[in-house]
Structure formats: C-alpha cells, structure tokens
Amino acid sequence: MYRFLLTPRWWGINVFLLLAVPFCIFMGSWQLSRFEARVDDHRTAQAQVSEDRTEAARPLSEMLPVDKATSGKRVTATGRYGTQLLVPDRTLDERTGFYVLTLLRTDGGKALPVVRGWLPGTADAAAAPAPPAGEVTVTGALQASETPGDNGVSARGGLPAGQTAAISAASLVNLVPYDVYDAWVTLDTADSGMTAVPATAPAGTGLDLKAFQNLGYTGEWFVFAGFVVFMWFRLLRREVEFQRDAALGLLPEAEGGEPATAEAGEPATGEEPAAPGTSYDGASTPVR
C-alpha cells in the first residue's frame, strides 16, 4: 500500500521534508541563541553600571571613543561652562521633566555636553539654575551619543530656541559655535538642588524590541517545522485513503458524470464482466 512513497512525486515531497525541517529547527535555534545573548548582555551591562559607580574616575581622553566597554565608566574633565540647553520630555522615577545640559569648554577646544541634573515639569529656562562660573572639574558617568527615536529619545523637531531633543554631537553642532565631543557625561552629584540622572546601559545591550523580535522569530521557525511535518502526514493520509478507495473501486467521478476507473479495461463498479460472446443492448439486457 505504501509503494507510492517510491514514486518521483513522493521522492520530491520526502526530500523537501528532510531539508525543510532541519533548516527550520536550525533557524529557530539560532534566533533563540540571539535572544539569550541579548539577555546575557543586558545582565552584564546592568552589573557593569553598578560596578562603574565604585570605580575611580579616569581622565576623559583615556576613555574615548565610547563603546560598550567604556560606556558608564566614571570620568573627569576640566574646563569652563558655556552654552546651556534644555532637553525636554525626559522621564525619571515615572515623572516627566527635563535635563539641564551645559557645554563644558575643555582645554583642548572641544566642548563636552554635561547633564548637570533633572528637573520636573515643562522645560523652562528660568527654572534651570545657572552653571558655576570659572574653571571647574566635573566627575560623572560617560555616555554614548543618543540616537533620536531610540530608547525613549524624542525625535520631534521644531523645539524652541535653547532646547534639543537628543544629546549628540550631530544635534548640538548646529546649536553651538564650537566642536562637540561625540559623548556626554551625567554628573555623579547634581548641581543646585537638581536630581542626578543615572547612567544607562550601552545601546544594544538591553531587552529592547529587537530582542523580543528574536524571540518571536524563534517561535515562527519552530511553528514552520511543525507545519511541514503536519502537511506531510496529511498528504500521506490522503494518499493512503485514495489507494484504499481505488482498491475497492470507490473512485471519484470523472468529467461528464462517468465514474472513473482505476485501470483501463476494468469495470468501475462492482458488476461482473460480461461473458465472452455476450453483447448488451441499450437497456443493458443480454442478448444471446
């Protein structure tokens, strides 16, 4: 009954099954490993942020450029405060407020964006305390430039003068008349009664949308593998039923309403074949 499995048609179906199922399982396992790697990166980044708070601060020049290894590390920089900007729509402890961002002009000529603290409410330049005068030395956590639209960073434009949506060299270069470091620092201790902004884990190390996309793709690939196996058994069952019906003469009708026959010259119903020398008239009555 199962000899049909050796036909060319079923050879193709079987080969497809043997190739598709391992491929789907491999892809699902790979996507799962990607999700697990992101979970491990998230845990490592969170632990690194906690450890960095107790490490001794190092000069800014030694920690640039910012990457996963240096993001969150404590650094020091010396200079004079210059232009002050506000960064609206920033949430801290489930409250909406704004960052007070001040550019620190270093001895090298470049300016370092320094988040001096966070204040609740709508961004208001009058509520932001003025920066200290004269030369200052700041200590805080090093952070990578933000990307508008990622990790809660606003991408909207048309902000009032003196405000910026993202803390990045690309956003600040048009707002200040000097070069800006492609990094920023959040102070360990906020100035003038503001709340210090905690350091965040490096981009790409959190359980973000991409991480859960990997988890979703994992499920999809395993579902595909199961669907291929299900369809193979479904086709097998239909073929077995067809072969059984053909053996019993229970075949579907052909075009024109005539019953189909399994083989040429065999009756399609259960009637006995006519004896030799016997003919039939139009009413199927034997004439001898």
Side-chain angles (χ1 to χ4, degrees):
M1 179 177 294
Y2 293 95
R3 292 180 179 177
F4 62 84
L5 292 174
L6 300 178
T7 60
R9 172 173 173 267
W10 273 93
W11 266 108
I13 295 175
N14 293 335
V15 169
F16 175 78
L17 173 73
L18 294 176
L19 293 178
V21 171
F23 177 76
C24 291
I25 293 176
F26 169 78
M27 292 300 297
S29 301
W30 178 73
Q31 290 289 352
L32 181 60
S33 67
R34 293 284 297 167
F35 174 74
E36 292 175 343
R38 289 180 180 275
V39 172
D40 291 339
D41 285 345
H42 176 69
R43 292 173 179 171
T44 302
Q46 293 298 328
Q48 178 178 323
V49 169
S50 300
E51 293 175 359
D52 292 341
R53 295 172 183 169
T54 61
E55 290 185 358
R58 300 174 61 182
L60 174 66
S61 58
E62 296 181 7
M63 306 302 290
L64 296 176
V66 185
D67 53 24
K68 290 184 179 181
T70 60
S71 179
K73 298 289 186 180
R74 298 179 69 242
V75 298
T76 61
T78 301
R80 295 176 180 271
Y81 280 122
T83 305
Q84 181 160 288
L85 302 168
L86 305 181
V87 187
D89 303 326
R90 294 306 175 104
T91 302
L92 185 64
D93 296 331
E94 299 182 354
R95 295 188 299 166
T96 301
F98 59 96
Y99 292 168
V100 177
L101 176 69
T102 311
L103 280 298
L104 181 71
R105 299 290 303 276
T106 64
D107 295 336
K110 279 189 174 182
L112 174 67
V114 177
V115 174
R116 296 171 49 230
W118 173 91
L119 290 172
T122 305
D124 183 5
E135 187 175 79
V136 296
T137 298
V138 299
T139 302
L142 183 65
Q143 301 281 265
S145 289
E146 297 178 332
T147 301
D150 287 349
N151 299 322
V153 178
S154 176
R156 68 188 182 95
L159 293 175
Q163 296 186 19
T164 179
I167 309 174
S168 67
S171 300
L172 298 173
V173 69
N174 296 321
L175 301 178
V176 294
Y178 32 79
D179 293 334
V180 179
Y181 282 105
D182 191 20
W184 58 281
V185 168
T186 175
L187 296 182
D188 292 341
T189 303
D191 288 344
S192 306
M194 295 184 288
T195 303
V197 176
T200 59
T205 59
L207 295 179
D208 53 9
L209 178 61
K210 292 182 179 180
F212 289 101
Q213 283 180 339
N214 292 132
L215 187 61
Y217 293 150
T218 298
E220 288 182 0
W221 281 112
F222 287 134
V223 168
F224 291 158
F227 180 74
V228 171
V229 175
F230 167 77
M231 289 303 300
W232 185 86
F233 277 106
R234 182 178 177 86
L235 291 174
L236 177 68
R237 180 180 177 183
R238 291 182 60 182
E239 190 73 23
V240 170
E241 291 176 350
F242 181 83
Q243 296 291 335
R244 184 183 298 116
D245 291 345
L248 297 175
L250 303 176
L251 295 178
E253 292 186 353
E255 296 182 2
E258 296 293 334
T261 58
E263 299 290 343
E266 293 184 1
T269 64
E271 297 179 359
E272 294 293 331
T278 303
S279 60
Y280 293 89
D281 58 11
S284 299
T285 303
V287 179
R288 301 184 180 277

